[in-house]
Structure formats: structure tokens, C-alpha cells
Amino acid sequence: MKIKNINIENFRNIKELSLEFEDVNIIWGENAQGKTNLIEAIFLFTGSKSFRGAKDSQLIKMGENQSKLRIDFEGSNRSQNAEIRIGNKREAYLNGVKKKSASMLSDEIKAVIFSPVHLNMIKEGPGERRKFVDAALCQIKSNYRNLLKEYNRCLDQRNILLKDLKHNPELDSLLYIWNKNCAICGAKIIYQRLKYIEALSPFVKDIFSGISGGKEEIELKYRSFDDYSADTAEIEKKLLRALENNKIQDMMNRSTSVGPHRDDIEILINGISARIYGSQGQQRSCVLALKLAEANLLEQITKKEPIALLDDVMSELDEKRQDYILNHIKNRQVFITCCDKETILKLKKGKTFHIEKGFLIE
């Protein structure tokens, strides 16, 4: 897909803004001028909530009652349009037809977003890396979100039971039931994560090689309490056995020590941990490669071409890595924000927008 233009009214610090886009679009200006607000407005058309964690009421320009966003885009081999109105509630329209919820826009409009907050995927603990894989799977597997909810429900019930067992030993017979339920749901989650990483890895390696000029190699590894083959039945069997074997330890800690909620995705550069040993530029390159690879795989599976939204991606990257981002991302529309005016001089083909205090500076 390709967004042809956007019209924004009363969104964040933007009173009114109309822009026409090309394949590569650079939005530049000083901090706190509205660059990220523009990226955020585009991202809302995927049907998702703000990637900055903002409530809808925070998206409306101060002193106004409603925000309106509209895009014209090419998708599914035809010209289309979409509109979002944010007031007391969020309303979404596709080709003039009101949708039951804004999330339904995701059927036509897909995007991947890079934001500095996503660097936590490398810098922080396993939860951030699990979140990346799970969010990606939610876009391509219609039942995956419900599977996560069911697993978390089973996990909560098991943990509650572990806390009660010390004072009510007669509840022990119930533990196997929740062990079994956790193993059934957990095995499906682990299996789908393994298959996703397997499918994602070739894209990640190719993109990371391009970013690093072929000087570095990236590798993804799924880390758990056991080595799994891609077989749900075997994973379920091993997980159930581990839950039963860890009963005493889990009772003492009053929490569940094994399962997909404890697993990790290790990211290696030239065989060593990117989290521990990677430079700022290498870590940023890892996240960028993961995000662009996510877009490639999403397109391959859904047959919908997602746009790439890259917010403040240039910081801490050397000139060669910046050149790759500006001039070598192929086959998708790209939106990039940056602060440095010199950066736009490196752009070989595309369009630039200078944003200041929510206005376009000609």
C-alpha cells in the first residue's frame, strides 16, 4: 500500500496540516515540534492505539473538542480513503463507510513502527523481546491474541493455587488440571513463536547485513528451559513434565518458573550478545533490522504491503548505516523523522518536510 496524502485537524500540537507523500518521506525539525506527532497520526490508521501509550483524550489539541485525520491511499489495487475522528470516542471510516471499531482498519492498512522506546527490546529484559514477537504474531494470526489471554488466565489460576496450597494441601489435586491447561496453551504459544522466528531470521540477516555493509552478522535464538523441536505435542509433553517437576520450587516462590512467560529471544551479533556487548549503533541497527524484517514477513503472509514508520532512527548511526536507511529500503513506503538538517542532504530520491510548531515550513 501507499499513502498518497494526509489531512490533520487538531491533533496534538497540529492545528491544521495537509501533506502529499512519495515513496520516501523525511520529516525533519528540532525536538518537540510535531515530527513524531505526524508519525503517530499515520500509525493510528493501522487501527492500533498510540505507540506512545497516550490516551485518546491526549491526542486532541488542547482547547479543542475533536481531532480529525484523513488519508487517501492505494491499497488492494485501488484508490481508497480512511478517516479517524477522535472525540468522546474514536470513530473510523473506510471509503465513507463507518466501521464498528477503528481496529477494523487493520484489514487494509498495515505498518511497522520504530521508535526509540523499541531499543528496550535490546537493552532491557526478556519481556520486551517476547512483546515484540507476540505483537507481530497478533497481526498475522487471528487467534493468537486470544491464545495469550487464555494462557495468562491459566497462569494466574495456577499461581493463585500455588499460594493457597501451603495452607490448603487438599487443593493439590487441582494443580494437575492447571498444569495441563498451562501446558496446552503454552505449547501452542511456544510453537508459534518458534515458527515465527524461523521465518523471520532470513529477512533479519539480509537486512542487518545491508545495514552493516556486510561486516556483521545477526542471529536470533529462542531460549527456554528446554530445546524444542517444532512439534506442539512434544512441547506440551515437556512443558507439563517441567511444571510437575518444579512444583516444590514454585510453591516456595508462589509463582510459575517455566513456560512461555519466562522465555527469551536472544539476539547475537557475530556470535556475541547484542544486549551485553553491542554498541549503541549496533543495538539500534538490530532493532531496525527486526522491524523491517517484520514488515517483509507481514507482507509475505498477509499479501498486504505495510509502510515503515521510523521515528528518530538516525541517531547514533554512522554515515553508511544512515545511507542504507535513506536510500536502500526497497519495495515499501517509508516515513523517517530526524533532527539534523544535514541528514536530508544525503537523500537521493524522496520528499522532505520541515515541521516547526506543528506547521509545515516551506
Side-chain angles (χ1 to χ4, degrees), residues 8-269:
I8 301 174
E9 295 180 20
N10 300 326
F11 183 82
R12 295 282 199 176
N13 74 329
I14 301 172
K15 175 63 178 176
E16 189 173 351
L17 191 62
S18 296
L19 302 175
E20 295 186 359
F21 299 125
E22 295 184 7
D23 288 345
V24 180
N25 305 275
I26 310 298
I27 302 132
W28 69 280
E30 296 182 4
N31 288 326
Q33 299 301 306
K35 303 185 305 295
T36 301
N37 296 343
L38 177 54
I39 291 288
E40 183 179 32
I42 295 171
F43 184 72
L44 293 181
F45 283 97
T46 66
S48 301
K49 295 182 179 180
S50 165
F51 65 85
R52 302 155 92 180
K55 298 178 181 178
D56 276 6
S57 60
Q58 296 171 311
L59 303 178
I60 303 171
K61 185 175 174 61
M62 191 174 297
E64 302 292 341
N65 296 321
Q66 187 183 60
S67 174
K68 292 183 181 180
L69 310 171
R70 177 190 164 92
I71 61 170
D72 293 309
F73 67 99
E74 292 288 338
S76 300
N77 299 314
R78 61 193 177 105
S79 295
Q80 302 191 65
N81 63 75
E83 184 176 343
I84 293 175
R85 301 174 188 172
I86 304 171
N88 294 328
K89 60 179 181 178
R90 191 186 302 194
E91 297 179 347
Y93 299 80
L94 182 64
N95 302 319
V97 178
K98 186 176 181 179
K99 311 301 286 186
K100 291 183 179 180
S101 69
S103 64
M104 296 181 72
L105 292 176
S106 65
D107 292 339
E108 285 293 335
I109 305 167
K110 297 186 182 297
V112 294
I113 177 78
F114 171 96
S115 169
V117 71
H118 292 123
L119 291 172
N120 291 335
M121 191 193 309
I122 305 292
K123 297 176 181 292
E124 301 297 331
E128 292 297 322
R129 292 179 285 281
R130 292 194 300 266
K131 188 187 299 183
F132 163 72
V133 174
D134 288 340
L137 279 165
C138 284
Q139 288 199 75
I140 59 178
K141 298 283 186 178
S142 59
N143 68 331
Y144 191 78
R145 193 180 305 276
N146 290 333
L147 185 60
L148 286 174
K149 289 180 181 179
E150 179 61 19
Y151 176 76
N152 287 327
R153 186 186 74 83
C154 294
L155 184 64
D156 288 343
Q157 291 297 320
R158 185 178 191 271
N159 288 340
I160 290 171
L161 188 58
L162 289 170
K163 295 172 185 177
D164 291 343
L165 275 172
K166 182 177 180 180
H167 304 290
N168 300 285
E170 67 275 10
L171 297 176
D172 186 70
S173 60
L174 294 176
L175 189 61
Y176 178 80
I177 296 174
W178 291 112
N179 286 349
K180 183 68 174 176
N181 289 340
C182 283
I184 292 171
C185 291
K188 293 176 182 177
I189 290 170
I190 292 170
Y191 172 80
Q192 294 202 42
R193 285 178 179 172
L194 284 167
K195 297 298 288 184
Y196 182 79
I197 291 170
E198 180 184 339
L200 188 72
S201 288
F203 292 114
V204 176
K205 289 182 178 181
D206 183 61
I207 293 168
F208 191 81
S209 177
I211 294 173
S212 67
K215 296 179 180 179
E216 297 166 349
E217 184 175 339
I218 193 172
E219 186 178 5
L220 308 181
K221 291 186 177 181
Y222 192 84
R223 297 299 192 191
S224 189
F225 72 97
D226 202 334
D227 293 326
Y228 297 117
S229 68
D231 181 275
T232 310
E234 180 186 342
I235 297 171
E236 181 183 328
K237 183 178 178 180
K238 287 184 175 181
L239 183 53
L240 179 58
R241 184 186 305 123
L243 288 168
E244 293 175 340
N245 291 342
N246 285 29
K247 171 186 171 182
I248 302 302
Q249 175 187 336
D250 288 356
M251 285 180 62
M252 291 176 61
N253 295 328
R254 298 193 297 179
S255 64
T256 301
S257 57
V258 295
H261 66 291
R262 296 282 190 176
D263 293 349
D264 194 4
I265 295 88
E266 188 177 16
I267 302 170
L268 306 172
I269 300 176

Side-chain angles (χ1 to χ4, degrees), residues 314-328:
M314 296 298 190
S315 302
E316 299 164 341
L317 297 182
D318 58 36
E319 287 191 10
K320 289 185 178 180
R321 294 172 195 256
Q322 289 186 3
D323 177 69
Y324 179 90
I325 295 167
L326 289 170
N327 301 306
H328 298 282

Side-chain angles (χ1 to χ4, degrees), residues 301-322:
I301 293 172
T302 65
K303 308 305 179 186
K304 301 285 187 181
E305 183 181 292
I307 59 175
L309 304 170
L310 310 179
D311 185 32
D312 191 22
V313 71
M314 296 298 190
S315 302
E316 299 164 341
L317 297 182
D318 58 36
E319 287 191 10
K320 289 185 178 180
R321 294 172 195 256
Q322 289 186 3

